[in-house]
Amino acid sequence: MEFESKITYAKHRVAEACLWAVGTYFEPEYSRGRVLLANVVILLTALDDTYDAWLPEAPNGIPDSMKHLYRVIIDFYDKLEDKLEKQGRSGCSFHLKKSLKSTANGYMQEVNWLRKDCIAKFDEYKENAILSSAYYAIMGVTFVGMGDVAKLDAFEWLSSHPKIRIAAEIICRFTDDITSYDFEHKREHVATGIDCYMKQFCVSKELAYMDYSILFQMLGRS
């Protein structure tokens, strides 16, 4: 994908992406699925970094590096569509592309908040976190790698906002908020869920962390 040479602003987390894929499904028969999953994690990481780096007022328009990423993502999803069609899993690619658009919309909302120097209401942040966690897109590609185990009905279920998916998305985003809180405050970045919670409920960072832990337990039981 030539990321290191052409997409210089993005984090290159190849090892982490591979570890994520192994943690998702380690069985030998899902080896190709792990490759697909690792690739989409790398792509979505770069896409997230693209929204962080993009300046709408850039005088020369969209830089070549971002155009290259766009072409790579489109090519990746087109190939997935061809793969699914050949396997007799017609219609599944619709949900894959829907999940990608959903993730991109979540990233764009964060950019809008950042440009307006806006700290969103916690519920607004929580709703967008479901999109920006990228779990919907990642789960979709995971299903691609499972072959006949995941046919169109599985993708339709995933797109129906099942409770387990929503819980996983919120836990993913909120966990990231906690672990990256100090780092994100060293650079220009959208307000995290911790910031939104602290402002809306007038609490300290430590108390926000404690309330997050309670929320995690509630989501785990839902």
Side-chain angles (χ1 to χ4, degrees):
M1 290 188 240
E2 301 179 290
F3 267 30
E4 292 190 20
S5 62
K6 292 193 175 183
I7 308 177
T8 56
Y9 58 82
K11 296 183 286 291
H12 304 292
R13 292 178 169 171
V14 178
E16 292 92 331
C18 292
L19 181 61
W20 192 325
V22 172
T24 301
Y25 38 29
F26 61 87
E27 296 86 348
E29 62 267 30
Y30 296 134
S31 60
R32 293 184 179 179
R34 285 192 290 275
V35 173
L36 291 176
L37 181 54
N39 280 333
V40 82
V41 170
I42 293 169
L43 287 173
L44 292 174
T45 299
L47 183 62
D48 187 13
D49 291 342
T50 297
Y51 279 89
D52 289 342
W54 180 56
L55 297 174
E57 65 276 11
N60 298 319
I62 300 176
D64 290 340
S65 57
M66 294 183 183
K67 293 178 182 177
H68 176 71
L69 177 62
Y70 173 80
R71 288 192 294 267
V72 169
I73 291 176
I74 294 301
D75 181 64
F76 178 79
Y77 275 84
D78 283 347
K79 288 181 178 177
L80 286 183
E81 183 173 14
D82 290 341
K83 178 184 179 71
L84 289 166
E85 290 293 330
K86 291 177 181 178
Q87 293 177 345
R89 294 195 280 170
S90 298
C92 298
S93 62
F94 167 80
H95 297 278
L96 285 179
K97 294 179 179 179
K98 179 181 178 181
S99 69
L100 175 62
K101 292 175 183 177
S102 175
T103 301
N105 287 337
Y107 293 158
M108 192 68 235
Q109 179 60 70
E110 291 183 345
V111 171
N112 290 334
W113 283 334
L114 176 62
R115 299 306 173 201
K116 295 177 182 178
D117 195 23
C118 171
I119 299 180
K121 295 289 187 181
F122 181 70
D123 285 343
E124 294 174 340
Y125 178 88
K126 181 180 176 182
E127 182 177 350
N128 193 67
I130 293 172
L131 309 180
S132 64
S133 71
Y135 255 40
Y136 180 19
I138 290 172
M139 291 177 187
V141 173
T142 301
F143 281 13
V144 174
M146 297 177 71
D148 288 340
V149 174
K151 295 184 178 180
L152 180 57
D153 59 339
F155 286 86
E156 290 174 338
W157 170 82
L158 184 63
S159 291
S160 70
H161 303 281
K163 288 184 178 180
I164 190 171
R165 190 197 107 188
I166 301 302
E169 289 166 329
I170 294 174
I171 291 172
C172 169
R173 173 51 66 193
F174 285 8
T175 300
D176 184 63
D177 285 346
I178 293 174
T179 57
S180 65
Y181 183 83
D182 292 334
F183 171 75
E184 300 296 7
H185 281 73
K186 295 178 181 177
R187 61 176 184 145
E188 184 183 28
H189 195 269
V190 68
T192 68
I194 296 292
D195 297 310
C196 298
Y197 195 91
M198 290 168 60
K199 180 180 180 181
Q200 181 170 343
F201 299 107
C202 300
V203 298
S204 66
K205 179 177 72 173
E206 290 71 22
L207 185 57
Y209 280 9
M210 291 177 61
D211 289 349
Y212 260 45
S213 297
I214 294 172
L215 178 61
F216 290 164
Q217 294 176 21
M218 293 173 59
L219 288 169
R221 292 195 297 266
S222 63

